[in-house]
Amino acid sequence: MKYSSEFRDPAVAKKLIEQIGEAVAGFDGQMTLMEVCGTHTMAIYQHGIRALLPKSIRLISGPGCPVCVTPVSYVDHAVALARRPGTLITTFGDMVRVPGSSSSLQREKARGADVRIVYSPLDAVALAEKTPEKQIVFLGVGFETTTPTVAGAILEARRRGLSNFFALCANKTIPGPMAALAGDPELKVDGYICPAHVSAIIGAEAYRPLAEQLKVPCVVTGFEPLDMLQGVLMLARQIVAGEARVETQYSRIVKPGGNPKARAILEEVFEPCDTAWRGIGVIPQSGLKIRESYAAFDAERQLPVAVEEPREAKGCMCGEILKGKVTPTECPLFRQACTPENPIGACMVSSEGTCAAEYKYGT
């Protein structure tokens, strides 16, 4: 198939739905499939995938939105830097509106802080070159998909000889939380719809420990409706057969070894570290920190600031939603105190957040 319309062909979708029904016809019980990609979450809501599946298949959303899983303490740190004289904060759009303990970057900007939205980390590098009188900080938030671009920006800043470009990093890797949630008895994840963008970088082989050691089937799946349905079918067939292996539905993009060039640049600048995930806690070696050899570009080490004690918003259930234990509609703030215009939690802010998806497309 070459065009998007072919990936949304109703006749093919109907056939796949029939095949899914046939695959689980003799299955006793309910199987729980978790998607761990915010774009998958949006696609499931947008195309009404849940309503098309047999009742024996339950789809739940996991920690696949990088903005959503970034802890409040990081937002507080960014706010503290924004208040620092002579500092200019650069970030992608969603982070500006995420509430911290007592403020947000949007509020700080309204109070006079220099906070600017950029479309690439290299935009921040260019800004540093044009604005030598300011300390330019880029907020490095993201998974393996975007982290190589942060690494590239640091390498470019070094090449240009810049001493006023820094990154405040909360970059994370996806397999760690997948393994952590696979062992949660309350969730009982039977299969993972593996992220497509991340997998294009790290490769499908990265999920082999989940399948072989934790016995959780994994299928790397694309974003179109037919991709999603075929991915569910592949998972359902594995689960019914009692198998657990890694398969790639999205083979037109994702290769077993991923993108060697992107992985090399990531490895050059970053090293694994323990890191906190909102709602999940600290997961060993699931974060990426700037290596000592590039410490001159690390905002945390070069621009010390006092950061307030982090506090989660009262009543917000983002943490439980990110673990797939509750749905957005089970949060008492959803559609009431928490809306896209007045977000209380990160899941309502981000364009990949589960609450934002439910608000926009849910019933």
Side-chain angles (χ1 to χ4, degrees):
M1 291 186 282
K2 299 179 180 177
Y3 306 105
S4 61
S5 60
E6 294 176 296
F7 289 95
R8 302 179 180 191
D9 187 319
V12 180
K14 182 179 180 182
K15 181 64 177 176
L16 285 168
I17 293 165
E18 290 173 353
Q19 291 178 323
I20 293 170
E22 292 167 3
V24 301
F27 185 75
D28 184 19
Q30 187 175 58
M31 61 178 69
T32 298
L33 311 182
M34 172 179 276
E35 90 273 2
V36 283
C37 172
T39 309
H40 278 151
T41 299
M42 293 300 290
I44 287 169
Y45 277 98
Q46 182 178 4
H47 300 294
I49 300 293
R50 281 191 178 85
L52 300 175
L53 301 178
K55 294 188 182 302
S56 56
I57 297 178
R58 182 172 71 115
L59 297 183
I60 60 174
S61 302
C65 164
V67 171
C68 303
V69 298
T70 299
V72 171
S73 59
Y74 178 87
V75 180
D76 293 340
H77 197 156
V79 165
L81 284 170
R83 293 170 176 168
R84 185 178 180 274
T87 303
L88 191 164
I89 302 294
T90 58
T91 180
F92 298 140
D94 285 350
M95 281 303 296
V96 172
R97 300 179 62 234
V98 177
S101 296
S102 61
S103 185
S104 68
L105 291 172
Q106 188 175 47
R107 290 180 188 171
E108 295 305 312
K109 182 178 177 64
R111 293 169 180 161
D114 199 345
V115 179
R116 305 185 195 183
I117 294 173
V118 294
Y119 297 99
S120 160
L122 288 177
D123 292 343
V125 174
L127 195 57
E129 193 166 42
K130 293 177 182 176
T131 321
E133 70 277 12
K134 288 206 168 187
Q135 310 296 304
I136 311 300
V137 177
F138 178 76
L139 302 186
V141 172
F143 300 136
E144 296 94 329
T145 315
T146 54
T147 306
T149 66
V150 181
I154 290 173
L155 292 174
E156 181 61 17
R158 171 178 277 190
R159 189 187 72 78
R160 296 189 191 188
L162 300 177
S163 59
N164 66 329
F165 172 81
F166 308 92
L168 181 67
C169 291
N171 299 87
K172 293 176 168 52
T173 55
I174 277 292
M178 292 173 71
L181 294 177
D184 189 329
E186 293 184 31
L187 279 177
K188 296 183 66 176
V189 175
D190 297 300
Y192 274 122
I193 299 172
C194 298
H197 292 146
V198 165
S199 302
I201 303 298
I202 65 176
E205 285 298 304
Y207 308 109
R208 186 168 295 282
L210 287 167
E212 293 185 349
Q213 298 172 19
L214 300 177
K215 307 302 179 187
V216 180
C218 296
V219 174
V220 179
T221 306
F223 301 111
E224 292 294 336
L226 297 189
D227 288 329
M228 300 294 300
L229 291 172
Q230 188 177 23
V232 170
L233 175 61
M234 294 164 75
L235 279 171
R237 284 174 170 166
Q238 282 197 55
I239 294 167
V240 170
E243 300 171 347
R245 61 181 184 276
V246 179
E247 294 183 290
T248 303
Q249 182 278 333
Y250 201 41
S251 57
R252 62 186 184 274
I253 298 294
V254 175
K255 307 304 177 189
N259 183 324
K261 188 173 182 178
R263 292 175 61 183
I265 194 173
L266 194 154
E267 176 73 16
E268 167 67 23
V269 178
F270 289 96
E271 62 181 327
C273 66
D274 298 350
T275 195
W277 294 66
R278 185 190 290 248
I280 301 175
V282 175
I283 300 177
Q285 301 296 285
S286 67
L288 292 167
K289 68 177 183 180
I290 297 174
R291 290 185 182 278
E292 184 64 32
S293 53
Y294 292 93
F297 303 97
D298 188 344
E300 188 169 359
R301 280 181 269 194
Q302 302 302 328
L303 306 175
V305 288
V307 181
E308 65 184 298
E309 190 69 22
R311 304 185 305 278
E312 295 284 353
K314 189 176 181 180
C316 176
M317 300 185 73
C318 274
E320 295 302 294
I321 291 168
L322 288 167
K323 287 184 287 190
K325 293 188 175 181
V326 302
T327 63
T329 55
E330 293 177 86
C331 176
L333 305 183
F334 183 74
R335 288 189 188 277
Q336 303 300 318
C338 186
T339 65
E341 292 74 26
N342 181 39
I344 304 297
C347 295
M348 184 61 89
V349 176
S350 174
S351 59
E352 295 186 345
T354 307
C355 294
E358 174 67 36
Y359 190 95
K360 187 173 183 179
Y361 298 113
T363 54

